[in-house]
Amino acid sequence: MDKYGLIGYPLGHSFSKNYFNEKFSNEGIDAEYINFEIPTIELLPEVLASNPELKGLNVTIPFKEKVISYLDVVSREAREIGAVNCIRVENKGGSLILKGYNSDVIGFTKSIEPFIERFHKKALVLGTGGASKAVAYGLKSLGLEVIPVSRYQRPGTIQYDKITAEVVHEYNVIVNCTPVGMYPNIENCPRLPYESLTERNLLYDLVYNPDQTLFMKKGEQMGARVKNGLEMLLLQAFANWKIWTNE
């Protein structure tokens, strides 16, 4: 039986595990998807050694950047982004070849593109982790100028307390790449001047549980268009399967 899985820490409820095991069951595919909750990336070789049937892995927080040094091949896109969330595992004559890709960018770009209007020229990307790097790459590929938002003073970023009404009018696409507002902490939202949003703003939340976060609700109350990350996850899962199986 082929195996696929997810590495990350901690792993709560996993969209990928439920999605793929349901797919395997429905389509009669002799495979299973397992969550490998490892506290450190140094345990990846152990996961590979103890699961010789592995054909592919997904990578989530906090390993999307750290995993790159363990890979034999990294796609140009993933290398430019600086983060990998999908690994194809190939067994060549007893030795493993690990190939890294970024399906986050595929899922995100395809899901936000229909919402981008002519007046969407600049975007704020909340967060500076692996997912935010893929989102920034995707937005730039759609022609938008991007600035990351960080809690800390870092070169090329803006801090939350510097985001004014003028900033959200100019940077009228806002993408939340942080876990703020995710279940069970549904009463939380990123610190933004929501009262300054208008119908020209687009708010996209990578969080999909709950299906409407407080970030989205506050945007919608001001007339902004909002979208959660569920479609991105589905598109990303399709992309993962193509990468693993060459289908």
Side-chain angles (χ1 to χ4, degrees):
M1 179 187 286
D2 289 342
K3 283 186 184 175
Y4 301 88
L6 172 68
I7 58 167
Y9 189 85
L11 294 178
H13 98 287
S14 161
F15 170 87
S16 296
K17 182 180 178 182
N18 296 339
Y19 172 84
F20 280 109
N21 282 327
E22 196 171 311
K23 175 185 173 70
F24 298 153
S25 173
N26 291 343
E27 298 180 21
I29 297 168
D30 188 26
E32 66 174 332
Y33 191 103
I34 301 162
N35 281 353
F36 299 104
E37 190 172 62
I38 53 174
T40 168
I41 193 63
E42 283 78 18
L43 292 173
L44 175 60
E46 194 178 303
V47 168
L48 294 164
S50 54
N51 295 277
E53 311 89 350
L54 265 175
K55 295 288 187 288
L57 284 169
N58 287 128
V59 185
T60 190
I61 295 168
F63 302 138
K64 289 184 181 187
E65 293 143 306
K66 295 174 185 169
V67 77
I68 290 176
S69 61
Y70 288 81
L71 305 177
D72 301 292
V73 180
V74 178
S75 74
R76 181 185 58 79
E77 209 167 43
R79 193 170 291 288
E80 286 180 12
I81 292 165
V84 161
N85 77 310
C86 181
I87 300 171
R88 179 182 163 101
V89 182
E90 296 179 0
N91 195 319
K92 294 282 176 72
S95 63
L96 290 184
I97 307 292
L98 303 181
K99 298 182 176 180
Y101 302 85
N102 194 301
S103 60
D104 278 338
V105 70
I106 299 167
F108 172 73
T109 309
K110 284 185 176 175
S111 67
I112 198 171
E113 189 171 17
F115 291 80
I116 298 294
E117 305 278 2
R118 286 193 308 277
F119 51 80
H120 291 138
K121 305 288 189 190
K122 298 183 181 183
L124 295 175
V125 173
L126 312 184
T128 54
S132 65
K133 289 179 176 178
V135 162
Y137 185 96
L139 289 168
K140 287 173 187 172
S141 76
L142 295 173
L144 278 75
E145 189 180 311
V146 176
I147 188 162
V149 182
S150 174
R151 288 175 293 170
Y152 311 107
Q153 292 282 349
R154 291 177 177 166
T157 68
I158 185 174
Q159 282 58 59
Y160 286 90
D161 58 1
K162 302 285 195 305
I163 300 175
T164 61
E166 291 73 29
V167 171
V168 297
H169 290 160
E170 185 179 356
Y171 290 80
N172 53 5
V173 176
I174 306 173
V175 184
N176 179 32
C177 302
T178 78
V180 175
M182 185 164 65
Y183 181 85
N185 303 308
I186 61 173
E187 299 306 315
N188 296 341
C189 62
R191 206 153 36 93
L192 296 168
Y194 292 97
E195 68 284 354
S196 303
L197 299 174
T198 72
E199 68 282 353
R200 291 172 77 88
N201 284 99
L202 167 60
L203 271 58
Y204 187 112
D205 203 332
L206 265 58
V207 172
Y208 59 94
N209 183 18
D211 59 6
Q212 190 177 47
T213 58
L214 188 57
F215 167 75
M216 292 167 64
K217 283 178 187 168
K218 288 190 164 207
E220 202 168 58
Q221 284 165 4
M222 303 308 295
R225 290 195 78 179
V226 301
K227 185 171 176 63
N228 72 13
L230 185 59
E231 187 188 25
M232 170 182 169
L233 276 177
L234 287 167
L235 291 166
Q236 175 204 53
F238 298 156
N240 291 335
W241 189 244
K242 278 187 174 179
I243 288 165
W244 293 333
T245 62
N246 278 335
E247 285 183 5

